[in-house]
Every structure is written in C-alpha cells, then in structure tokens.
Amino acid sequence: MVPALFDAFPTLTEPQPARGYAQLPYLSLGQFPTPIERVLAPLQGGCELWVKREDLSGALYGGNKVRRLEFLLAEVPPAGESLATFGGYGSNHVLATGIYGKKLGCRVQAVLYPQPLVPAVRAALRADLAVELKLRLCRTYFGVPWELARLSRQRPAPRLISPGGVDPVGVLGWWSGGLEIAAQVAAGLAPRFDAVYVALGAGDTTAGLLLGLGMAATEVVAVRVVPWPVASSLGVRLLARRTRALLIRRYGQAKTAGPRPKLRVEGRFLGRGYGHPTPWGAQAIQRGADLGLILDPTYTGKAFSALLADVDSGRLAGKRVLFVHTYNSRDLSSLISAGDLGMLPHWLRSRLADNEPAPR
Ligand SMILES: Cc1ncc(COP(=O)(O)O)c(C=O)c1O
C-alpha cells in the first residue's frame, strides 16, 4: 500500500534533478492503513469513542514507530549497514529499530539510559537481547553523550537513527498517518472527529498528525508522557514547520498549507516523569481493558487517562473522539523468552532483581 503522503504529494516519487534530490526514500515495513474502530461500550455524556489501531501497524512489531522507520530506514543503504540509536532502557523506538534493522540485515547498536524498571522495561530489554541489539547501557543520563561520542569514533561510523524530535524525516511517517486518517474519514469509514488524543513524547507523532489531519479533526490533544521541555507545544510546532519546509525545499511542495486542527498539550497526567506509572494511568489501563484495549503504563495508559478525565468531567459530552493507540500489541512472547538477561552487566541485573515482582 502506497503511503497516503505519496497520494497527496505525487512529486515525492519523482527525482528532482533541478534541486539535486532523488525521489523521497521510502521502504515498506508495516501494514497500512491501520484500522479505525468504534468502541461500542457507552461512555458518559454520549461521547463516541474510536480507536486508531496503530498497535497493529506491523506484523513483527506494531506501534507508532513503524511509520517513522519506513522513511528513516529507507535512507540506509542495503544490508550490512551499521546503525545506532538511543532511548530509555525499555525504549520502543530502540526495539523497533532493532527488529526492523535486523530484518534489513543491519547491525544495530543502542545507547540506553535509565528509566523506572517496570515489567514492560524488563520485557523490552529481553526482546532487545533476542534481536541481537548491541546494548551500551548507561548508569545515568550523563553517560549518554559519552557513549554517543564513542559510537561516532567507530570506523565506519554507524548511521544514527534519531528517536524523535530532531529529524523531520521521522515526522513524514506520521504526516502520512494524519493523511491516512483524513482519507478514512473522507471514505466514510469514520466520522469527523472533535478531538484526537495521543501520547506526546519527542513529538513526531503529534507534529505529523497536525500536518496531515486537515479537516478530519478539530483538535489534537497531546498528552505529555515526558516532561517539558522535551514535550512542548512550541517543540511540536517547530518540528511540523521544519518538516513542511523540508518538502517545500526538496520537492517544491508549496501546497502543504491548509486547515489544521488546534493543538492542546495536556501536562497534568505525567506524574513523576517519564516511565513512572501513575495511579490514574493504572485506572485508565483497567478501564481500557474493560473496553477491549490493552494499554501500557508509560505512554498509552497516561494518554487514555487524560481522555477519560475529559469524558468524566463532561468536556467530551456528545463529542466524537479518536484515541491513537500507539503501543505495540503484537505478541512478543517468543522474543521475550529468548532474551537472556544474563548478558546484561551485573549492576543492571541486580537492579532488575531488586525490582522483580514478589512471587505470589
Ligand atoms: C508507545 C508510544 N507512544 C507514544 C510515543 C510518543 O511518540 P512521539 O515521540 O512521536 O511523541 C512513544 C515514543 O516513544 C511510544 O513509544
């Protein structure tokens, strides 16, 4: 399936010799369009809830990273390239890059920094090890620049795949995602939405949605799952602007302007910080499960808790709302059981052991 971005801007598939650019590199990794489904259980005030099932975006691994990687990994020369990236110990971006990078025959290294060692993080580390990611584990955030500098001194230097927020190429995937939702609305598969709720980390997903949704939604509510200033309204807007500028500069796509949804950044549901579970997130995970949604404590649980708070306060009475389900729901159990935590350094193994859930 051709990404919606190419339908909207056909010149992206053509080389631009006058500007000195080849056609926009793209590599199909996922399964798109992802469905939009209605949640049939009634919600307070008659709020109509729909879910963008991005959790099903790839057969190997789903979630919001797959669309980004279709553009970011397309810039990588064929098999054998060495890639590097970074993220928290349980980073979905790192795992997705490891899984899809390996599929392309690349060697992938990742610098990981601390985050609370909840069970999902332990599972992600196991899966990282099972896909043979070469992990460079930092004990504190301060180790990250040091490890990245060491990576840059390797010869040949690995290609750095950003986890988000800095590279407009990564936003193209979600620009396409926004256009995809707009096309689904135009085709009558879903209604026009009053609000779209999404977890806000580095901002690629939200920036792309703002660029692509057009008239399909009135407002995007981006729920912070990392603190300010990493997640900020200004950061999202700048990222969107830079991405638009990239298409205009390279492909002459001046008609990228158009009606946009409003952006509301919601910061009240973050709790103590990135990766720290919250009581309201836990409640949202439970209520999500009752509605048939499997959510996680770091991203989707917090985003859904914001949506539910707006339902409960009556703010969404009579509204049509789309929840973007950004967390992988493909079964990773075979990867998780294959990953050997014994390959981690002793200091991390003992921290993981300290956080092991007590046997019941
Ligand atoms: C499951 C999940 N949802 C949402 C996000 C936030 O996406 P973005 O960084 O594009 O704001 C992330 C980012 O890591 C994620 O892993």
Side-chain angles (χ1 to χ4, degrees):
M1 176 85 190
V2 177
L5 193 69
F6 291 136
D7 285 336
F9 306 121
T11 59
L12 302 186
T13 57
E14 295 159 12
Q16 303 290 319
R19 292 188 172 85
Y21 289 104
Q23 67 189 71
L24 182 68
Y26 168 76
L27 180 71
S28 171
L29 297 173
Q31 298 174 321
F32 299 107
T34 52
I36 299 184
E37 292 173 357
R38 169 115 191 242
V39 174
L40 291 174
L43 289 180
Q44 186 175 313
C47 168
E48 203 178 283
L49 177 61
W50 295 70
V51 180
K52 177 72 170 162
R53 296 296 309 271
E54 198 67 14
D55 54 311
L56 302 174
S57 61
L60 296 177
Y61 186 75
N64 65 333
K65 304 301 170 194
V66 182
R67 290 180 195 272
R68 300 182 69 236
L69 291 176
E70 289 194 328
F71 288 93
L72 288 167
L73 293 185
E75 296 194 321
V76 170
E81 172 98 355
S82 167
L83 306 178
T85 192
F86 59 99
Y89 289 163
S91 166
N92 300 313
H93 160 75
V94 165
L95 179 55
T97 310
I99 289 175
Y100 288 106
K102 183 175 182 192
K103 184 174 177 229
L104 299 176
C106 300
R107 188 171 154 263
V108 189
Q109 308 180 65
V111 175
L112 298 187
Y113 50 79
Q115 73 177 88
L117 297 172
V118 297
V121 171
R122 184 194 316 269
L125 281 168
R126 279 186 184 275
D128 287 349
L129 293 165
V131 296
E132 293 161 14
L133 261 158
K134 169 127 183 43
L135 302 181
R136 299 174 162 271
L137 293 145
C138 305
R139 287 175 189 244
T140 67
Y141 288 106
F142 300 112
V144 177
W146 164 254
E147 285 294 345
L148 289 176
R150 280 181 59 189
L151 280 177
S152 69
R153 286 198 295 272
Q154 287 180 1
R155 289 292 170 268
R159 181 185 290 250
L160 189 65
I161 305 290
S162 87
V166 291
D167 187 347
V169 171
V171 180
L172 295 176
W174 270 99
W175 189 339
S176 206
L179 289 163
E180 182 180 294
I181 296 171
Q184 288 168 312
V185 169
L189 299 172
R192 197 173 168 272
F193 294 106
D194 296 296
V196 175
Y197 283 71
V198 65
L200 173 62
D204 289 37
T205 312
T206 305
L209 284 171
L210 285 180
L211 287 164
L213 281 170
M215 308 277 281
T218 310
E219 183 181 41
V220 172
V221 183
V223 184
R224 260 194 202 122
V225 298
V226 300
W228 185 90
V230 182
S232 74
S233 158
L234 179 66
V236 169
R237 286 178 212 283
L238 285 177
L239 198 53
R241 184 182 296 185
R242 286 173 53 219
T243 309
R244 195 168 156 256
L246 175 99
L247 284 203
I248 294 172
R249 190 173 66 246
R250 291 196 188 172
Y251 302 96
Q253 287 295 351
K255 75 174 182 73
T256 50
R260 298 258 176 86
K262 283 183 294 180
L263 171 65
R264 171 159 69 93
V265 171
E266 176 55 82
R268 288 173 299 156
F269 297 85
L270 172 65
R272 281 179 56 208
Y274 173 65
H276 287 273
T278 57
W280 48 90
Q283 277 172 18
I285 290 172
Q286 184 53 54
R287 282 178 70 183
D290 296 341
L291 299 172
L293 304 174
I294 301 168
L295 306 176
D296 76 290
T298 303
Y299 304 95
T300 47
K302 288 183 180 176
F304 200 57
S305 68
L307 187 156
L308 289 176
D310 286 346
V311 169
D312 294 345
S313 71
R315 184 175 191 152
L316 295 178
K319 306 274 189 213
R320 291 174 165 147
V321 177
L322 180 68
F323 178 67
V324 186
H325 192 331
T326 51
Y327 192 73
N328 166 63
S329 69
R330 296 291 182 201
D331 180 13
L332 297 183
S333 53
S334 54
L335 279 186
I336 293 168
S337 51
D340 176 9
L341 291 182
M343 291 168 73
L344 297 176
H346 179 263
W347 59 265
L348 182 56
R349 285 204 315 268
S350 53
R351 281 193 206 173
L352 285 166
D354 289 346
N355 285 275
E356 192 94 53
R360 285 196 241 169

